[in-house]
Amino acid sequence: MMPGGMGGQKFNPLAIVSMICGILSIPTCFCSCFAPGINSPLALAAVVCGIISLNKMKAEPQMWKGGGMAIAGIVTGGIGLILVLMAAFTELDDAIRHSSGL
């Protein structure tokens, strides 16, 4: 067995980045007063990094591990994107209703 255990496999750094960005994208959607505009880049980074890391793990399965983290990043990043879209459309709808007097 190679040093480092698990046959020398290491966690893919992009999978870790994906999971962290995805997890952070959800609460930042609700606190736009503290960090406006940070949710979308975090959510996009989570999805993109997750997909890239899954492709790298698929290409070299003996070298990388962390597929669960990549999938978690993709899922939480997707949820973050959905939440930011819902918030944008809600604000847009509120603005239209307010300007039209409804």
Side-chain angles (χ1 to χ4, degrees):
M1 188 178 234
M2 297 178 75
M6 296 288 292
Q9 286 182 323
K10 293 187 269 185
F11 282 104
N12 190 303
L14 286 176
I16 297 168
V17 168
S18 173
M19 185 179 68
I20 291 171
C21 288
I23 290 170
L24 289 176
S25 73
I26 294 173
T28 56
C29 177
F30 300 112
C31 59
S32 61
C33 57
F34 299 117
I38 197 166
N39 174 274
S40 298
L42 280 174
L44 285 173
V47 172
V48 170
C49 289
I51 291 170
I52 292 171
S53 68
L54 283 177
N55 286 335
K56 286 186 176 191
M57 284 183 259
K58 188 177 185 181
E60 298 178 286
Q62 71 282 357
M63 186 172 180
W64 300 111
K65 62 181 178 177
M69 286 191 287
I71 292 170
I74 293 169
V75 170
T76 54
I79 292 170
L81 284 173
I82 290 170
L83 289 173
V84 78
L85 287 174
M86 286 174 47
F89 285 121
T90 302
E91 289 177 16
L92 180 64
D93 185 51
D94 288 344
I96 291 171
R97 286 177 193 244
H98 181 65
S99 67
S100 65
L102 294 175

